[in-house]
Amino acid sequence: KGKGKGKGKGKNKVGGEVAGRRRSVLSTTTFCEVGDAYAKLGGQLLTIPTDSELLGELECVKLEPPGKRASPTEYVSTGVVFCLQGLPPGVESMKEWCSATEAARWLEMGATVMIPNMQMSSAMQASDIAAVVDAGLKVLDYDRCILVCKDMVAHRAVEMASQDLLKNGLVTGLVLVAPSSPPPDACKELDVPVLVVWATNDDVTPIEECEGWLDTLLDRDAPTTMKECADGRHQLDLMLQDSNIADAMHSFAVSAFLIADLGEELVRTESNDVQDMFPVDVKAQERIHRLTDELPHFLQEAANHRHYGEEKSESNGKTDTMDTTRSRRLSQDISMFVAAGFVHDSE
């Protein structure tokens, strides 16, 4: 593979202050050396302090939507995508994550992407992954994310999400890209949507290992779906050259964020004293509208009509409003949309 290095023009910052270069303790490459790979997406190199004794301060590349970069305080983000991998990072892996970001249209849907400079080791625990995600969310002043995890790091990410170890936020979904086997028992405790992505010609983690993961993940209440492609080996960006995989990756992110937002909206509207206990969150409303616009039209339209077996409902002695009913229908439909593999009305 190519050994070319970026020009490293980006400055390394902590909370807006310029800091010296520092590679991550478990990495042999500093992200200053791969600046060209993320510069075209307007990426910024940060050094974030974590609570992990193992990791300490950590390099992290932040990719933001153009609107967020232009108006940081006014722009309403739809979520954060953390890109985690077990194998050593470098120029090629940074190009892979940046290309995957474009193919999955994460920035287009209003999400911020974080790429930490870390790799798996036998010493790393679920609490270390949680410390990285917590630190990233704190820097971004945000509280929800999905994790896109490759190979060996998937185990610790699953454990972290299932044990609810985050202090600053919530994991709303997991994407497992050719995860290493065997799957951890913690899979059974996951209560968020999961997307498994695998290439049939993967030369690192054979696709035959997917059966064990699916057997464990499908035995949950939360939706799970798998997408496989004929080519791509162990590179997510190559897998996403298949438009079906790219569309699934985009739809999953939209769905995972939206299910969480709709859930919180239902809690607010179904409370006994809505105005005092759960005032309207204007930013949450905007997120819901933006994410809903990313859904297939048939899903948006279906939420306006009574579903089979649905009766007039009441919550805490109050008749549901149309907005509450629509949110409940949409949340249920999105979960089925994920479980069905993102099948559209034309399929």
Side-chain angles (χ1 to χ4, degrees):
K1 295 184 178 180
K3 299 181 180 179
K5 299 180 180 180
K7 297 178 182 179
K9 292 182 179 179
K11 293 183 178 180
N12 199 10
K13 297 185 177 181
V14 182
E17 298 298 325
V18 177
R21 295 183 180 183
R22 183 192 188 280
R23 70 168 60 93
S24 304
V25 68
L26 294 179
S27 175
T28 58
T29 302
T30 172
F31 277 175
C32 291
E33 299 173 356
V34 298
D36 285 352
Y38 58 82
K40 69 172 185 176
L41 295 181
Q44 181 183 12
L45 179 59
L46 309 175
T47 298
I48 57 176
T50 75
D51 290 336
S52 167
E53 293 183 3
L54 176 66
L55 298 173
E57 290 186 340
L58 193 73
E59 284 185 336
C60 187
V61 167
K62 175 179 67 173
L63 306 175
E64 292 182 312
K68 177 70 172 177
R69 298 199 305 271
S71 183
T73 57
E74 296 179 5
Y75 187 88
V76 178
S77 296
T78 54
V80 181
V81 178
F82 281 89
C83 301
L84 309 174
Q85 67 181 57
L87 296 176
V91 176
E92 296 304 318
S93 67
M94 180 58 69
K95 290 180 180 178
E96 176 184 355
W97 286 121
C98 290
S99 295
T101 295
E102 292 184 284
R105 308 193 305 281
W106 289 327
L107 301 184
E108 289 182 29
M109 60 173 275
T112 294
V113 178
M114 297 288 274
I115 310 172
N117 187 356
M118 56 178 285
Q119 67 187 67
M120 196 58 201
S121 81
S122 58
M124 188 175 293
Q125 302 300 314
S127 58
D128 296 307
I129 303 294
V132 172
V133 176
D134 263 329
L137 290 174
K138 185 176 181 179
V139 166
L140 298 175
D141 191 23
Y142 208 75
D143 64 353
R144 64 197 59 224
C145 64
I146 64 171
L147 309 181
V148 182
C149 314
K150 284 187 64 179
D151 44 69
M152 295 178 288
V153 79
H155 292 73
R156 294 293 181 257
V158 166
E159 291 170 356
M160 183 269 283
S162 65
Q163 295 170 24
D164 196 21
L165 296 180
L166 290 185
K167 301 175 183 176
N168 298 326
L170 176 72
V171 175
T172 66
L174 279 173
V175 180
L176 305 179
V177 183
S180 303
S181 291
D185 292 338
C187 285
K188 299 176 182 179
E189 307 301 323
L190 280 173
D191 60 357
V192 297
V194 174
L195 169 64
V196 182
V197 180
W198 227 303
T200 57
N201 65 347
D202 194 303
D203 50 359
V204 175
T205 312
I207 194 171
E208 289 75 16
E209 296 184 12
C210 73
E211 294 183 9
W213 281 91
L214 290 179
D215 287 344
T216 304
L217 290 167
L218 289 172
D219 189 24
R220 308 178 306 127
D221 292 332
T224 299
T225 195
M226 177 176 173
K227 289 292 182 180
E228 63 178 75
C229 55
D231 198 11
R233 293 189 171 83
H234 198 65
Q235 287 188 233
L236 180 58
D237 58 337
L238 298 183
M239 297 181 204
L240 294 179
Q241 289 180 6
D242 183 325
S243 61
N244 290 325
I245 307 298
D247 288 344
M249 187 72 76
H250 179 79
S251 294
F252 179 83
V254 170
S255 300
F257 288 134
L258 195 46
I259 288 172
D261 277 329
L262 289 171
E264 289 191 0
E265 177 66 8
L266 286 170
V267 169
R268 185 190 71 81
T269 57
E270 292 175 354
S271 65
N272 279 316
D273 196 343
V274 175
Q275 297 303 320
D276 292 340
M277 294 181 62
F278 297 94
V280 174
D281 185 335
V282 177
K283 288 188 176 181
Q285 292 288 330
E286 183 172 341
R287 283 200 307 269
I288 289 173
H289 286 305
R290 290 187 61 188
L291 290 168
T292 301
D293 286 343
E294 295 284 336
L295 292 173
H297 180 71
F298 81 95
L299 268 183
Q300 300 180 42
E301 181 63 24
N304 295 321
H305 304 284
R306 178 172 291 186
H307 287 23
Y308 178 78
E310 180 181 274
E311 298 179 358
K312 185 176 181 181
S313 60
E314 294 187 355
S315 298
N316 297 322
K318 298 182 300 182
T319 301
D320 283 351
T321 65
M322 184 57 200
D323 284 346
T324 301
T325 301
R326 189 176 189 278
S327 293
R328 184 179 293 108
R329 290 170 182 165
L330 191 57
S331 181
Q332 294 169 351
D333 290 347
I334 293 171
S335 291
M336 291 189 288
F337 179 56
V338 175
F342 313 106
V343 176
H344 287 234
D345 52 349
S346 61
E347 297 180 82

